Amino acid sequence: MSDLNASCLCGCVRLTLPDAFLYMGNCHCSECRKFTGADYSSVGGIEQSKVVILAGESEIRYYPKSDETELAFCSHCGSSLFSHKVKKGLFNIRLGILDTAPRHAPDFHIHIASKAPWHTVNEALKQFEHGPD
Ligand SMILES: [Zn+2]
Ligand SMILES: [Zn+2]
């Protein structure tokens, strides 16, 4: 199993992680839409301990969204990098920052109830009105 590389737009933040996502999905919640500036955010969940920050750790800023979640971004270029699930010790890596293709692809949508009204959802994937919990 080869490792995946990831980086921000300006390249100062570089990560590496095993191709071992616990899940991969598309989040349509309004917070992910705002944070990423996209119609939805594709993320892959992985244990925080498996992600190695190779470069640019001091450039990463964390926006405290809630007690559970902080959102990581590059302070130079603004790229959203991952959400950190503080209590679970998980990173939800924004798949858009990957420089290497993972073996799998997102296979579900969450928070369809708050999807962008102009966006047509790919109906081939499972859909959840709200979160997975
Ligand atoms: Zn950057
Ligand atoms: Zn979301």
Side-chain angles (χ1 to χ4, degrees):
M1 185 161 51
S2 57
D3 285 350
L4 302 174
N5 297 313
S7 59
C8 66
L9 176 61
C10 76
C12 76
V13 177
R14 290 190 297 112
L15 313 174
T16 187
L17 56 147
D19 189 358
F21 289 114
L22 302 167
Y23 51 84
M24 297 173 85
N26 299 323
C27 185
H28 296 256
C29 83
S30 59
E31 293 172 342
C32 280
R33 291 199 283 117
K34 287 186 184 294
F35 185 63
T36 62
D39 286 4
Y40 59 90
S41 174
S42 298
V43 298
I46 190 164
E47 297 89 341
Q48 175 183 349
S49 58
K50 292 187 176 171
V51 178
V52 178
I53 299 173
L54 296 173
E57 186 157 19
S58 62
E59 308 304 331
I60 300 175
R61 296 289 178 277
Y62 293 89
Y63 169 67
K65 187 176 82 135
S66 67
D67 288 347
E68 280 284 330
T69 305
E70 53 185 18
L71 302 178
F73 61 97
C74 173
S75 61
H76 273 284
C77 67
S79 295
S80 49
L81 302 168
F82 52 85
S83 67
H84 177 206
K85 297 292 176 187
V86 180
K87 292 173 186 165
K88 293 180 184 166
L90 286 177
F91 281 174
N92 281 327
I93 302 285
R94 307 283 173 191
L95 297 180
I97 70 169
L98 291 177
D99 297 310
T100 322
R103 288 173 301 159
H104 302 293
D107 61 2
F108 61 86
H109 300 286
I110 59 170
H111 293 293
I112 284 294
S114 51
K115 81 172 187 69
W118 57 86
H119 176 69
T120 303
V121 169
N122 173 356
E123 296 192 337
L125 312 185
K126 277 181 293 184
Q127 298 184 30
F128 301 92
E129 284 284 295
H130 300 287
D133 298 327

